[in-house]
Amino acid sequence: MSLAWLDEIQWTPDGLVPAIAQDYRSGQVLMMAWMNRESLALSVAEGRAIYWSRSRGKLWRKGEASGHVQKLHGMRLDCDSDVILLQVEQLGGIACHTGREHCFYKALRDGQWQPVEPVIKDPDSIYG
């Protein structure tokens, strides 16, 4: 398969594009991460979400440490061609490293960010 579709993406100057992972059934936004050309091409080839870890400076196969893999069901590109939407099946039901279903668990309440989603599994038991 040709990888010409990668050329249509408006990459940041450092070669990245933001990617939003969304549950393909419910539409729940699970998380946001960064992808580069290699991680995006590998995601399509392997049928799972693979991101670029800016902090580690390497590919990050979602679930490689936790087992919480994101199976890829579809992919969309926004109107400006600068954001990817990954439609995924979140295996294990946990997308966030805090042990929650998704990363957007804080809501602004009375001028403060308050956790409003429960921890499903203690992160220490996931990552050791």
Side-chain angles (χ1 to χ4, degrees):
M1 172 168 92
S2 168
L3 296 179
W5 56 273
L6 290 167
D7 296 331
E8 295 182 40
I9 296 169
Q10 298 299 309
W11 303 95
T12 64
D14 51 353
L16 301 174
V17 65
I20 298 166
Q22 175 187 49
D23 184 284
Y24 85 108
R25 287 188 195 112
S26 70
Q28 171 72 54
V29 174
L30 301 173
M31 58 176 278
M32 179 273 174
W34 294 93
M35 300 180 94
N36 63 9
R37 290 177 71 92
E38 182 183 14
S39 67
L40 192 50
L42 284 170
S43 293
V44 171
E46 295 183 20
R48 64 178 286 185
I50 302 170
Y51 301 105
W52 177 256
S53 171
R54 295 181 305 165
S55 61
R56 291 177 278 177
K58 67 176 192 170
L59 290 175
W60 161 37
R61 284 174 165 76
K62 179 67 175 157
E64 64 192 351
S66 66
H68 301 137
V69 172
Q70 291 177 342
K71 183 178 175 187
L72 189 60
H73 283 265
M75 189 179 298
R76 303 277 177 113
L77 182 63
D78 82 321
C79 58
D80 293 324
S81 300
D82 63 357
V83 178
I84 300 289
L85 178 68
L86 302 175
Q87 296 163 316
V88 302
E89 178 180 354
Q90 181 64 60
L91 303 181
I94 297 173
C96 186
H97 74 281
T98 66
R100 291 175 171 87
E101 177 186 7
H102 56 84
C103 294
F104 297 92
Y105 64 89
K106 296 178 185 176
L108 189 61
R109 303 259 168 94
D110 299 321
Q112 295 184 10
W113 293 107
Q114 301 286 330
V116 295
E117 302 287 337
V119 172
I120 296 170
K121 190 170 184 180
D122 181 359
D124 289 338
S125 69
I126 298 171
Y127 301 104

